[in-house]
């Protein structure tokens, strides 16, 4: 099975999934929050498909879970990013 997502994309998707599971939210419930089908959300969380969250969806997720959107782009142990670093990471996420 070829992975069609970048390491960065997988990391961010896993962070969202961890939040979803920790907060006892089903895939269907999160799909409703970000206005996609359950199947689309399943494809986002799967390594088989190139689907990833859009920035709009990440923003909706951040608002729902009351976390800053930039937290999805921080490496473990990082406290914050400069605007340039944040921009670079967002651009890297969006590539592919």
């Amino acid at each position: 099975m070829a992975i069609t997502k970048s390491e960065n994309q997988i990391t961010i998707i896993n962070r969202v999934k961890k939040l979803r599971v920790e907060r006892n939210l089903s895939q269907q419930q999160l799909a409703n929050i970000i206005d996609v089908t359950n199947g689309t959300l399943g494809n986002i969380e799967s390594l088989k498909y190139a689907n990833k969250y859009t920035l709009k969806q990440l923003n909706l997720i951040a608002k729902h879970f009351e976390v800053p959107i930039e937290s999805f782009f921080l490496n473990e142990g990082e406290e914050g990013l400069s605007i340039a670093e944040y921009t670079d990471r967002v651009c890297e996420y969006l590539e592919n």
Side-chain angles (χ1 to χ4, degrees), residues 17-50:
K17 184 176 180 180
K18 182 179 178 193
L19 266 176
R20 178 179 68 74
V21 171
E22 286 175 351
R23 309 276 175 99
N24 296 314
L25 217 64
S26 69
Q27 277 188 335
Q28 183 63 60
Q29 289 170 311
L30 184 57
N32 291 340
I33 291 165
I34 63 173
D35 196 28
V36 299
T37 66
N38 190 40
T40 297
L41 187 63
N43 289 346
I44 290 171
E45 289 189 356
S46 171
L47 292 181
K48 292 184 202 177
Y49 305 100

Side-chain angles (χ1 to χ4, degrees), residues 4-77:
T4 58
K5 295 179 171 120
S6 71
E7 240 356 90
N8 188 340
Q9 292 165 358
I10 293 168
T11 299
I12 290 169
I13 290 164
N14 285 337
R15 287 178 181 154
V16 172
K17 184 176 180 180
K18 182 179 178 193
L19 266 176
R20 178 179 68 74
V21 171
E22 286 175 351
R23 309 276 175 99
N24 296 314
L25 217 64
S26 69
Q27 277 188 335
Q28 183 63 60
Q29 289 170 311
L30 184 57
N32 291 340
I33 291 165
I34 63 173
D35 196 28
V36 299
T37 66
N38 190 40
T40 297
L41 187 63
N43 289 346
I44 290 171
E45 289 189 356
S46 171
L47 292 181
K48 292 184 202 177
Y49 305 100
N51 302 58
K52 62 186 175 199
Y53 293 109
T54 65
L55 286 180
K56 180 179 178 181
Q57 291 166 342
L58 286 173
N59 192 47
L60 290 169
I61 293 165
K63 285 180 179 181
H64 179 81
F65 290 122
E66 299 178 343
V67 299
I69 190 171
E70 56 270 16
S71 67
F72 297 128
F73 297 91
L74 292 172
N75 293 322
E76 197 165 320

